[in-house]
Amino acid sequence: MKITICILSAVAAVASAAMNPATQDQFTKAFSSPSFPFTASEVQFRTQHNKDAYYGALKTFNNLILPTEFPATALPLAIITPSKANNHGIERAVKIAKEYGLRVSARSGGYMSGYSSNMAAVDKEDEDFLLMDLSKLRKVVVDPKKRTATAEPGATGADLAHEVIKYGLAFPSPHSSRVTIGGFLLQGGMGIGSRLYGAGVDNVIGVDIITASGKTVFADAHTNRDLFFAIRGGGQFYGIVTRFHLRLTPMVKNPTLTPSYNASTVQVDQVFAIFDRPQANELLSFYSKFDPTAPRALENKIVFVVDPPTNNKQYLFASVSAVPFNSSTEVAQAQDKITKWYKSIPTNFATSDPTTYNGVVHGGDASWVDSDLSYYAEDLWFPTPLDPRLLQVLINQWDKVPSALSSMALNTGTWKAPTRSALGFDPSYSFCIYSTWKRNGTTAWDEKNKAWLDETVKALKPWTLGFYANELRPKKLNEKDYWRKCYEKDTFEILEVTKNRWDPENIFKSLQ
């Protein structure tokens, strides 16, 4: 009861501070009028009597901060969840929000949705905002002849991958199939096969975006080029992308013009091995020497995990090909080298048998199936080659991890990006840290898991080039330079210029 009273008090406080009751009532009426292009079921208001529906619309799969625990400034005055594509409706909503002095934030429903789109929506306590939830917009359309596709922002990695593989084609999709492509692509999109084909943004060939003017514009390499550069890696600051135009690549030797394949039958070259703690140094040493000269078609990754039954630290090594199965002599030779090496030392499990495309797409799902988990994440860029001292720090920090549900992943970066985008830090290694745990009702347990990640990030500072904007710790109100650390200096300056041109009133998220 105390919690409920506090929450409702906070809601009332922010409503009062950000917008006076009379204006708030006018805004609510504007969004509730018969002419408003969204149905009543698609709109939730912070002031409505049915609080469960409002907080339900804010729910994410990360339990780090529940919607009922959001600070007052992270609770939107209204939430619109379109049930189908409706650019006219979104344009109208943006214009009304501007008219009443509201900021506008958008989310596609993915990993950072509860934090980037809420915690970073406003910069001051006297600001209010509209949240546009695009999670139900999941349509994917493939043009197999042109080897392109269009996809709505709420489509998941699985939605996209399973649709394009029907024609023997692929896209650098998220490593976790449930992640939606909207935020994934706008912030860079380090995906499956990115070392060869570039990040997701390198394979975005155009976008339909609703800008601060309340109008939909198209941006690509020839039209609105400054916007096209900025949204590919810094997209959340400039508008609401409602459709992505994507370039696809072959995943089989003979792609077709009609649906002929499925993810369960398309084979993929791979090597996979599990090592216990005593082999950690040897594994990381081998990886640091092997990976820089490995074929670009190979994505080589080490995942730091804990074996739940024994609580022993383990290291998973996966080498997965991004080119059609059994089509590259270079890939076969490199993976043979890995096989010969792992056979020379103790392994918990190892195989060089091929996997399926389904296995690649869903390989990381096991870490995300539980809906009752809290995630506190950070993603860093490391320079190449990997410093031996850095590798030792990784092992030392992993030895200290408090929760057996946590994980870390050292992954090949893009190395040689095929296009120019805001993502940057090329070449580099991507290092993801996921402090993951189940809340048990004690603040001490939550703080212990957060402190471990904070300590790890601090220990890795000497080797950190920058941060990946898709996975950051939640933003605090008035926190300065939160986004700046995610971009190279010259790139950030370009983003600021583009922001001033396309969103001079700072309707969407600021670059603070």
Side-chain angles (χ1 to χ4, degrees):
M1 180 63 72
K2 290 181 180 178
I3 294 176
T4 304
I5 291 173
C6 289
I7 291 167
L8 295 181
S9 297
V11 169
V14 73
S16 175
M19 182 181 289
N20 67 62
T23 306
Q24 185 170 279
D25 184 58
Q26 292 175 354
F27 170 82
T28 303
K29 287 180 178 178
F31 269 39
S32 305
S33 70
S35 63
F36 190 62
F38 292 101
T39 65
S41 63
E42 294 175 298
V43 185
Q44 304 291 333
F45 296 100
R46 189 176 62 217
T47 54
Q48 68 190 35
H49 294 296
N50 186 351
K51 300 299 180 186
D52 289 341
Y54 174 80
Y55 287 119
L58 282 176
K59 181 72 176 74
T60 72
F61 73 86
N62 188 348
N63 278 355
L64 175 65
I65 308 173
L66 299 175
T68 52
E69 299 169 331
F70 281 3
T73 52
L75 295 171
L77 181 57
I79 308 165
I80 297 179
T81 308
S83 58
K84 59 183 178 180
N86 185 354
N87 272 36
H88 167 68
I90 298 175
E91 291 172 347
R92 177 84 180 278
V94 169
K95 289 177 181 177
I96 293 175
K98 283 181 61 178
E99 179 183 343
Y100 286 95
L102 269 69
R103 304 283 294 275
V104 179
S105 184
R107 73 180 190 186
S108 58
Y111 175 73
M112 288 297 291
S113 59
Y115 309 118
S116 176
S117 54
N118 287 76
M119 304 296 187
V122 300
D123 303 310
K124 298 178 292 185
E125 290 184 357
D126 61 352
E127 291 182 316
D128 219 328
F129 72 103
L130 161 69
L131 177 63
M132 189 67 64
D133 185 335
L134 309 174
S135 58
K136 293 185 178 180
L137 306 184
R138 301 177 63 169
K139 189 175 182 180
V140 177
V141 178
V142 181
D143 185 333
K145 188 174 182 179
K146 294 182 179 179
R147 294 186 180 177
T148 61
T150 58
E152 293 177 338
T156 65
D159 292 337
L160 178 58
H162 285 287
E163 192 61 34
V164 302
I165 197 63
K166 293 177 182 177
Y167 304 91
L169 302 172
F171 182 83
S173 299
H175 288 96
S176 176
S177 69
R178 68 180 293 172
V179 169
T180 49
I181 68 167
F184 170 76
L185 290 176
L186 292 176
Q187 296 309 120
M190 291 303 299
I192 299 167
S194 284
R195 178 172 179 167
L196 177 62
Y197 297 117
V201 293
D202 292 309
N203 296 277
V204 173
I205 54 178
V207 296
D208 298 331
I209 179 172
I210 298 171
T211 65
S213 67
K215 297 179 181 179
T216 299
V217 303
F218 177 73
D220 67 3
H222 307 287
T223 307
N224 298 315
R225 290 182 295 176
D226 60 337
L227 186 60
F228 184 61
F229 170 86
I231 61 97
R232 294 180 306 125
Q236 62 180 307
F237 308 111
Y238 303 95
I240 302 173
V241 174
T242 57
R243 185 165 59 172
F244 294 91
H245 301 257
L246 309 174
R247 179 191 302 110
L248 307 177
T249 55
M251 198 61 205
V252 299
K253 294 178 181 178
N254 299 299
T256 58
L257 299 182
T258 58
S260 306
Y261 301 95
N262 67 73
S264 298
T265 57
V266 172
Q267 290 188 299
V268 178
D269 296 294
Q270 74 146 5
V271 175
F272 178 77
I274 303 175
F275 299 88
D276 291 322
R277 174 61 179 84
Q279 284 72 50
N281 284 286
E282 197 165 356
L283 169 62
L284 287 169
S285 177
F286 171 81
Y287 180 85
S288 67
K289 296 171 184 175
F290 169 81
D291 189 68
T293 59
R296 288 178 59 200
L298 281 185
E299 177 178 279
N300 304 302
K301 176 167 61 176
I302 295 178
V303 183
F304 300 62
V305 298
V306 179
D307 179 42
T310 63
N311 206 39
N312 291 333
K313 308 301 185 292
Q314 292 185 327
Y315 296 76
L316 315 183
F317 179 31
S319 175
V320 179
S321 173
V323 295
F325 176 66
N326 201 25
S327 67
S328 169
T329 301
E330 191 179 30
V331 164
Q333 291 174 343
Q335 291 190 329
D336 283 344
K337 184 175 181 179
I338 301 173
T339 302
K340 290 177 182 177
W341 171 77
Y342 78 61
K343 287 183 177 180
S344 69
I345 66 172
T347 56
N348 188 289
F349 172 84
T351 179
S352 297
D353 293 337
T355 185
T356 64
Y357 192 63
N358 192 68
V360 173
V361 171
H362 295 280
D365 289 3
S367 300
W368 311 92
V369 293
D370 196 325
S371 61
D372 193 30
L373 297 179
S374 295
Y375 301 93
Y376 189 60
E378 203 76 272
D379 200 329
L380 318 176
W381 299 113
F382 292 152
T384 60
L386 293 167
D387 187 331
R389 294 170 298 175
L390 163 64
L391 301 179
Q392 190 58 55
V393 171
L394 297 182
I395 294 172
N396 293 344
Q397 289 303 122
W398 190 238
D399 284 341
K400 302 175 186 178
V401 67
S403 171
L405 298 171
S406 295
S407 63
M408 304 194 303
L410 179 61
N411 200 359
T412 304
T414 55
W415 289 80
K416 190 177 181 181
T419 71
R420 183 172 172 268
S421 74
L423 181 59
F425 299 110
D426 183 48
S428 62
Y429 281 92
S430 165
F431 186 69
C432 319
I433 313 169
Y434 300 105
S435 186
T436 309
W437 69 97
K438 285 194 176 186
R439 295 172 64 177
N440 60 14
T442 65
T443 302
W445 177 235
D446 297 337
E447 293 305 315
K448 185 175 183 179
N449 284 281
K450 292 179 185 178
W452 169 77
L453 182 139
D454 292 341
E455 177 190 312
T456 300
V457 172
K458 184 177 180 180
L460 297 172
K461 186 176 180 179
W463 300 277
T464 300
L465 297 173
F467 293 75
Y468 180 38
N470 251 337
E471 291 170 322
L472 296 172
R473 289 167 285 182
K475 185 178 186 291
K476 298 175 183 177
L477 191 67
N478 297 320
E479 182 176 351
K480 302 298 182 183
D481 296 330
Y482 181 77
W483 298 111
R484 186 183 294 270
K485 64 180 179 290
C486 300
Y487 302 98
E488 294 172 315
K489 183 178 183 296
D490 291 347
T491 297
F492 192 79
E493 292 173 355
I494 293 172
L495 294 181
E496 289 182 311
V497 171
T498 308
K499 178 74 168 175
N500 290 334
R501 179 190 175 194
W502 289 95
D503 186 18
E505 298 175 79
N506 225 23
I507 301 300
F508 300 104
K509 292 188 193 77
S510 73
L511 276 164
Q512 283 190 8

